[in-house]
Amino acid sequence: MTALVIIEGVVIALLVVLVAGLLRSHAEILQRLHALDGGGSGHSTETTGLQVTRRATGTTPEAVAGVTPAGSAAAVSLRGSRGLVLLAFLSSGCSTCRPFWEQFSTGAEMPSPEVRRVIVTKGPDEESPSRIADLAPQSVPTIMSSHAWDEFKVPVSPYFVLVDAAAGAVVGEGAAANWPSVRDLLTA
């Protein structure tokens, strides 16, 4: 009986060391992501909470295509129309994304009615369609497409890409922690 208690104590101590190591590793990863989010050639996260970068014209795909949370095929054109398209790359498991899901559900204020909003999640193989259906607002198209995340080289979520649909060009992109930061992207 005493040997069992000693072995159990050793196993618990090893688990504590393992968990502490994992937490330290996670903290380092978060610090590096934060440094990436705050570095670069756009607005800094210290002033606006958004890192904005620019891409060369012609790098925008024709459309964002995938499926809806209900499983229907869906696509939103990114070229050959008027106005701007704001692509919001969100995840169901991201705590920073939750305010954006809520903001879109309550009618996120856009600077112009010509800004179309589209939510893009990873595909059904990486996200739960039922969870996305619960989060997705009826008024905003929601497309599940891991391919779109790859095409736009989305590094983290939440991440926003602003496309000038008439020019077929990305005019701004970045990670944001709050809605005012996204509005900075829309007015930059």
Side-chain angles (χ1 to χ4, degrees):
M1 186 67 138
T2 306
L4 186 59
V5 171
I6 292 172
I7 291 172
E8 187 176 275
V10 170
V11 168
I12 290 173
L14 288 173
L15 286 173
V16 167
V17 170
L18 177 66
V19 168
L22 287 172
L23 288 173
R24 185 170 151 227
S25 173
H26 183 69
E28 288 176 12
I29 290 168
L30 289 175
Q31 285 175 339
R32 288 181 184 177
L33 284 173
H34 180 71
L36 285 173
D37 192 31
S41 61
H43 301 284
S44 88
T45 57
E46 294 175 14
T47 58
T48 66
L50 179 72
Q51 173 193 1
V52 177
T53 57
R54 305 286 183 208
R55 289 190 191 187
T57 301
T59 60
T60 305
E62 290 285 329
V64 171
V67 297
T68 66
S72 302
V76 172
S77 176
L78 299 177
R79 294 188 189 180
S81 64
R82 294 183 317 162
L84 300 170
V85 180
L86 176 65
L87 300 174
F89 290 88
L90 303 178
S91 171
S92 63
C94 160
S95 61
T96 309
C97 295
R98 177 150 307 277
F100 294 107
W101 285 108
E102 292 168 1
Q103 189 73 38
F104 283 123
S105 291
T106 59
E109 185 181 339
M110 295 289 155
S112 163
E114 291 198 14
V115 178
R116 293 181 291 149
R117 301 166 293 163
V118 178
I119 296 172
V120 184
T121 70
K122 292 204 174 186
D125 55 329
E126 296 182 65
E127 283 277 5
S128 164
S130 61
R131 179 74 179 124
I132 297 300
D134 289 341
L135 292 168
Q138 295 294 326
S139 60
V140 180
T142 301
I143 298 175
M144 301 184 76
S145 173
S146 297
H147 181 71
W149 284 60
D150 294 341
E151 280 187 307
F152 284 96
K153 297 177 178 56
V154 175
V156 296
S157 63
Y159 196 79
F160 300 86
V161 177
L162 186 62
V163 177
D164 179 342
V170 172
V171 294
E173 64 184 288
N178 54 47
W179 187 250
S181 300
V182 175
R183 285 193 49 85
D184 288 347
L185 172 66
L186 297 173
T187 59

